[in-house]
């Protein structure tokens, strides 16, 4: 007796890459960038994320995705540029506005010191997220660049 023939299941078809026409006409930069990134068109997605950062400079998601794209493209120059601009934008965002009431300022400074958020001079001891993560990544990038320069010489 011969065993019954088994049916081979066809391999799943790969989804077609979205073309410009596939993107919705009213799509914002973020959804267009996600679609392009998902389809592997990283350079084009990077352009959309750059535009999104210009329009919304205090949204960490766009910075993070753009950093990942530049890391995949091995473009350390642009990755460092985005880290610097992100740190600058978020540092400005987290810097408190000057208060006109000196009692409020004194109490806030004293409370922050007692809780351990600042030193005696009022400087922050810890960076808020995502600034801390970006500073660590920049240190890694700078370390790699100095190692490459030493190997070349």
């Amino acid at each position: 007796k011969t065993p019954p023939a088994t049916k081979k299941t066809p391999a799943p078809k790969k989804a077609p890459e979205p073309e410009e026409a596939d993107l919705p006409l009213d799509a914002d930069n973020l959804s267009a960038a996600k679609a392009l990134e998902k389809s592997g068109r990283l350079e084009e997605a990077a352009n959309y994320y750059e535009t999104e950062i210009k329009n919304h400079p205090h949204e960490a998601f766009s910075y993070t995705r753009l950093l990942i794209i530049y890391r995949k493209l091995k473009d350390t120059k642009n990755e460092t540029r985005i880290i610097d601009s992100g740190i600058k934008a978020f540092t400005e965002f987290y810097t408190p506005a000057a208060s006109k009431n000196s009692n409020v300022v004194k109490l806030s400074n004293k409370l922050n010191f007692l809780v351990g958020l600042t030193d005696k001079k009022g400087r922050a001891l810890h960076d808020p997220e995502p600034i801390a993560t970006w500073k660590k990544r920049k240190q890694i990038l700078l370390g790699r660049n100095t190692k490459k320069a030493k190997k070349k010489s």
Side-chain angles (χ1 to χ4, degrees):
K1 249 181 170 180
T2 59
T6 59
K7 292 183 180 179
K8 290 186 177 180
T9 57
K13 294 182 181 180
K14 189 176 179 181
E17 291 186 11
E19 296 295 324
E20 290 294 325
D22 294 342
L23 296 173
L25 293 175
D26 61 343
D28 62 342
N29 292 324
L30 199 54
S31 60
K34 286 178 186 179
L36 289 167
E37 185 180 0
K38 190 173 182 180
S39 70
R41 294 161 58 186
L42 300 180
E43 291 87 4
E44 294 174 57
N47 291 334
Y48 278 98
Y49 282 123
E50 292 268 3
T51 305
E52 186 66 19
I53 286 172
K54 288 177 187 169
N55 294 338
H56 306 285
H58 300 122
E59 293 294 328
F61 178 80
S62 299
Y63 287 97
T64 304
R65 294 310 311 164
L66 191 54
L67 290 173
I68 290 169
I69 287 173
Y70 285 139
R71 194 172 313 142
K72 287 180 180 179
L73 295 173
K74 297 181 181 181
D75 188 352
T76 56
K77 182 180 173 185
N78 277 324
E79 188 176 355
T80 305
R81 178 181 57 83
I82 294 301
I83 289 171
D84 289 339
S85 69
I87 289 172
K88 181 181 176 187
F90 276 81
T91 301
E92 291 171 0
F93 179 72
Y94 285 122
T95 302
S99 176
K100 293 181 181 180
N101 190 342
S102 63
N103 288 335
V104 172
V105 172
K106 287 178 186 176
L107 285 172
S108 295
N109 289 340
K110 192 172 260 186
L111 180 63
N112 285 335
F113 174 71
L114 291 173
V115 175
L117 298 176
T118 60
D119 62 6
K120 287 183 179 181
K121 294 185 177 182
R123 294 178 296 222
L125 296 176
H126 308 286
D127 291 319
E129 286 299 326
I131 296 173
T133 304
W134 292 341
K135 284 184 176 180
K136 287 179 194 173
R137 178 64 188 163
K138 186 174 179 182
Q139 288 294 351
I140 292 169
L141 283 173
L142 293 176
R144 287 183 185 166
N145 288 341
T146 56
K147 287 179 185 177
K148 286 180 183 179
K150 287 180 182 179
K151 284 183 180 181
K152 287 182 180 179
S153 50

